[in-house]
């Protein structure tokens, strides 16, 4: 099973089993990492699933929608690696994708 590597706000790194077809947000949430609030449940309307993605994987990720872009603009910790994890479908091609949970707003 492909792995998703998650770095928490405390700097703890965890390797999770990545279910293909689930979003990165769902994999993190289902692993019990509750600092990723994901308040809207993946509807792209809250930005509480904000992560920073390893730039090496940027080309393998789907393009950012205007809605995702707008929501990320509302966060204080946005940078060039920012994505909303609910908008990232996980797949075998993303094996060992590393994401870092962004600072809380
Ligand atoms: S869970 Fe709300 S925008 Fe991702």
């Amino acid at each position: 099973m492909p792995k998703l590597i998650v770095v928490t706000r405390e700097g703890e790194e965890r390797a999770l089993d990545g279910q293909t077809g689930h979003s990165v947000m769902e994999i993190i949430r289902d692993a019990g990492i509750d600092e990723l609030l994901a308040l809207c449940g993946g509807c792209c309307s809250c930005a509480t699933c904000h992560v920073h993605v390893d730039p090496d994987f940027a080309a393998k990720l789907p393009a950012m929608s205007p809605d995702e872009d707008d929501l990320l603009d509302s966060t204080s910790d946005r940078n060039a690696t920012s994505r909303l994890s609910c908008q990232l479908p996980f797949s075998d091609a993303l094996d060992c994708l590393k994401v870092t949970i962004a600072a809380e707003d």
Side-chain angles (χ1 to χ4, degrees):
M1 185 173 282
K3 294 290 184 191
L4 173 68
I5 314 299
V6 179
V7 182
T8 68
R9 293 191 182 115
E10 295 73 36
E12 181 193 356
E13 189 169 306
R14 290 182 55 184
L16 309 178
D17 288 331
Q19 287 279 349
T20 294
H22 288 199
S23 70
V24 169
M25 176 277 279
E26 290 171 318
I27 293 166
I28 297 171
R29 184 193 59 191
D30 292 351
I33 301 175
D34 56 11
E35 66 188 51
L36 191 87
L37 296 177
L39 289 175
C40 78
C43 298
C44 198
S45 61
C46 74
T48 60
C49 65
H50 181 190
V51 295
H52 295 291
V53 178
D54 180 344
D56 289 347
F57 284 84
K60 295 181 178 176
L61 300 177
M64 186 181 295
S65 70
D67 284 348
E68 181 180 355
D69 197 18
D70 285 349
L71 276 171
L72 283 169
D73 269 345
S74 72
T75 67
S76 58
D77 191 26
R78 183 174 191 174
N79 66 21
T81 67
S82 288
R83 294 297 304 258
L84 296 181
S85 57
C86 71
Q87 301 302 299
L88 304 177
F90 196 71
S91 67
D92 289 338
L94 296 180
D95 186 25
C96 294
L97 171 68
K98 186 172 179 176
V99 300
T100 302
I101 298 175
E104 193 170 14
D105 280 309

